[in-house]
Amino acid sequence: MSTYTRRKFLRDAAVAGAAVSAISTPLKVLAAEKRSTVRIGMIGVGLRGQSHLDEFLKRADVEIVAMADPDKNMMAMAQKIVAQYKKKSPVEYTNGNYDYKNLVMRNDIDAVLIASPWEWHIEQALAAVNAGKKAGVEVCGAIKLQDCWDIVQAVEKTKAPVMMMENVCYRRDVMAVMNMVQQGLFGDLLHLQGGYEHDLREVLFNNGTDGGPGVGFGDHGFSEAKWRTNHYVNRNGELYPTHGLGPVACMIDVNRGNRLTALSSISTKPKGLHRFVVNNPLGGPNHPNAKVMFKEGDIVTTQIQTANGETIVLTHDTSSPRPYNLGFRVQGTNGLWIDNHAGGFDEGMIYFEDKSPKKHTWENTKAYMEQYDHPLWKKFSKDAEGAGHGGMDFFVDNAFIECLKRDADFPLDVYDLATWYAITPLSEKSISEGGTLQQIPDFTAGKWQNRKAVFGRSDEY
Amino acid sequence: MSTYTRRKFLRDAAVAGAAVSAISTPLKVLAAEKRSTVRIGMIGVGLRGQSHLDEFLKRADVEIVAMADPDKNMMAMAQKIVAQYKKKSPVEYTNGNYDYKNLVMRNDIDAVLIASPWEWHIEQALAAVNAGKKAGVEVCGAIKLQDCWDIVQAVEKTKAPVMMMENVCYRRDVMAVMNMVQQGLFGDLLHLQGGYEHDLREVLFNNGTDGGPGVGFGDHGFSEAKWRTNHYVNRNGELYPTHGLGPVACMIDVNRGNRLTALSSISTKPKGLHRFVVNNPLGGPNHPNAKVMFKEGDIVTTQIQTANGETIVLTHDTSSPRPYNLGFRVQGTNGLWIDNHAGGFDEGMIYFEDKSPKKHTWENTKAYMEQYDHPLWKKFSKDAEGAGHGGMDFFVDNAFIECLKRDADFPLDVYDLATWYAITPLSEKSISEGGTLQQIPDFTAGKWQNRKAVFGRSDEY
């Protein structure tokens, strides 16, 4: 594909120019490619899986061998995307919820990409690694804490690694800030915030057929409304921690010289989803869903402590009308960054004691974001054009594939997945106990003290 | 004084125009004045006390009878201010730390205003109310939880009321937002944030003589550096909760239909104050204060739950370089406000589902702040000109005096003081136990369920 060709050219150019490179972040020497093509099985080809599929199909180094999904409509949409790229039709596994077990047993796939409903992630990842397949797993929180231990132990036993597919770690402004962190602009990091502050009401409810307006969910919902909304009926916790936590965890080297030690969570009353159903012209006070008791508090706050003395505050805020914001704040002894909207270079405030021209006065972020644009973004921004979520999806998929080609360590691995996923059941337990303190397990069993950071340190992914 | 005359005129005009008033907030019928002049004793006439003194001296309805402070330099500065107003010189109590006990025994004062170092507030307030004097008490957090019980019980026993002198409750944008809350713009309130995010390093350290540059504190410090910095050496907690908590507590009717139930606090490592001493040209790594171990974490986060299901997050962040911000966020089922700086009408972001023109898109706050400017500010903005902290100090002092004249209930009373002050020792306990959950006492002993809100409801204060 032309994208891949251009990327190859850029890579060669970068290697040739390495001696005079302006790249300022220390980058690792690359592992050699062990294979030129990676054979992938997709588990879950709903809208999110289709987005990964699209990224993979653009590449000459990926072959989509098989796809599993019990939803035949989604499977048909996925096959249509494959056809648009004029690639070979992958083998389908659509025979119920457990047909993925047959997919992972195939001998002609190297890895699976899991983008199914939350409640299936760990079960399917376990099946994959137990079948010796590497796995990329989409974001969410664990259903129960034991899931996190199970996937860690399975990876340690089988040596089939798992990548945590957290795309927001690759958001352009986030990576620029990480670059600033590594170059010491913030001084010693002290306090970080992140969250998922995104009005999801029109995702959680729809008409059940094509995602158009409506107040249906579950059997009467389309796409995420089919399964995500039920988590709001049955659970109260930080349901979606990784977009907020992942980026800041990378900045303070969690599981690589640092670790999360404890959390406590609190939640507001649940008001927003009921209000949405009742006030919706397609719902109303007499609609059956107006009788549903939602358990998930509208805003869930989680405060987290770390071994190295930083603190983190996470916010889950998806049931209320509000502009999108992941609410990042990165603060150190020399200054701080606050993210006010959706990642645009000029959508934040920043201040550094030794750089900002006017004492006690915010600067706009734009000039800093441009100056500290991460080397990976400088190199691949053209390739990322058109990829999902402002381009960041290109990077997370690229990292997955490039690591598979090299048998290299994933930059975000099973310990990250377990630690980040664990926030959800621990937050649920904390809230159910009135806000009690919960210890966060060390899934690395002490290895965090010597593990080295990988994320954002490679020249290639 | 001309200020008072103008105010009197405005008041008369307002009464005359009541029938056609544009005031949209429901306001209470005024109690009649019981006395035209209030006789005040000042306890603590350091810089903060002098600011109150200046406000009182502007008024024809206040007589400053006596002033207590062991610091003779501060006393001289205070007398100089009195002289500038050509008022009678108040009797001085400067004979050591306990001379205030003689002041409160005078028969010719109605009330005291306490603006001493934090560790003296409750002891002095107890002495005042036990001597039958009403008391206005400056902001801070309690030294120990029992202090909060002691002052509540003393007020209940003596019937001498105490006012919590929280000026930020009267900040113009805060009162405008409170007006919006009362008019239902936010829907049901869900989540609130506030804090004290103010780089205090040049307040905590100085040259010890006039507040000029330096790294001295304690015996080598001037004004607040004399005593405030020692709290950072010996304590780790939410040391200064009320500027952030007070305003949001008023919005959700804490102690008046609602109450704070539990909190947990976490803190970052302490880095900033040591760094300040070491990096300061007047300090350096060999300065004696470079050996001081500061205990107070640079950023302390506290999450609070309420009886009515709202959540509150407080941030104490005073040891790091950063622009000033009290970090307010007020969020309900219909929208939210975020305060980005220091209270300017245009320094925030706001969004309402049923008002904002563009879905999922912030608006600047300016037009809303102007439209919902609180009736008290509309009425008294000219009087507030030149008063401390952007005018808000006029309002808190005005409320104190007007209530004293009427024997009316203070809008922020001893239960508010106890509840807000209690955050500090509870947060210290939480942090010392690794972040455990702490129950917040109900200082009203159940009366919160029937008490009515007063703050911001009067036409006069």
Side-chain angles (χ1 to χ4, degrees), chain A residues 430-446:
Chain A
S430 177
I431 290 171
S432 74
E433 295 174 358
T436 54
L437 187 69
Q438 303 292 325
Q439 302 302 318
I440 302 176
D442 171 16
F443 295 102
T444 74

Side-chain angles (χ1 to χ4, degrees), chain B residues 229-252:
Chain B
T229 318
N230 276 321
H231 290 272
Y232 289 68
V233 177
N234 298 314
R235 308 172 75 184
N236 189 11
E238 169 48 90
L239 293 182
Y240 206 53
T242 73
H243 287 330
L245 177 58
V248 302
C250 290
M251 294 181 199
I252 55 172

Side-chain angles (χ1 to χ4, degrees), chain B residues 45 67-69 71-79 92 94:
Chain B
V45 288
M67 307 194 291
D69 200 308
D71 186 325
K72 291 185 172 62
N73 290 330
M74 289 298 181
M75 183 61 76
M77 289 170 73
Q79 288 286 15
E92 291 183 10
T94 59

Side-chain angles (χ1 to χ4, degrees), chain A residues 201 269 305 308 353 359, chain B residues 201-202 269 308 353 434:
Chain A
R201 294 172 302 160
K269 49 197 159 192
Q305 298 174 69
N308 290 350
E353 178 165 45
K359 226 171 153 177
Chain B
R201 294 172 302 159
E202 294 182 357
K269 49 198 162 191
N308 290 350
E353 179 165 47

Side-chain angles (χ1 to χ4, degrees), chain B residues 17 46 48 70 108 133 154 205 264 267 296 305 313 324 348-349 457:
Chain B
R48 184 64 187 142
D108 58 353
K133 308 302 187 297
F205 299 97
S264 59
S267 96
E296 173 75 2
Q305 299 173 69
V313 174
Y324 178 91
M349 309 189 296
R457 263 70 167 199

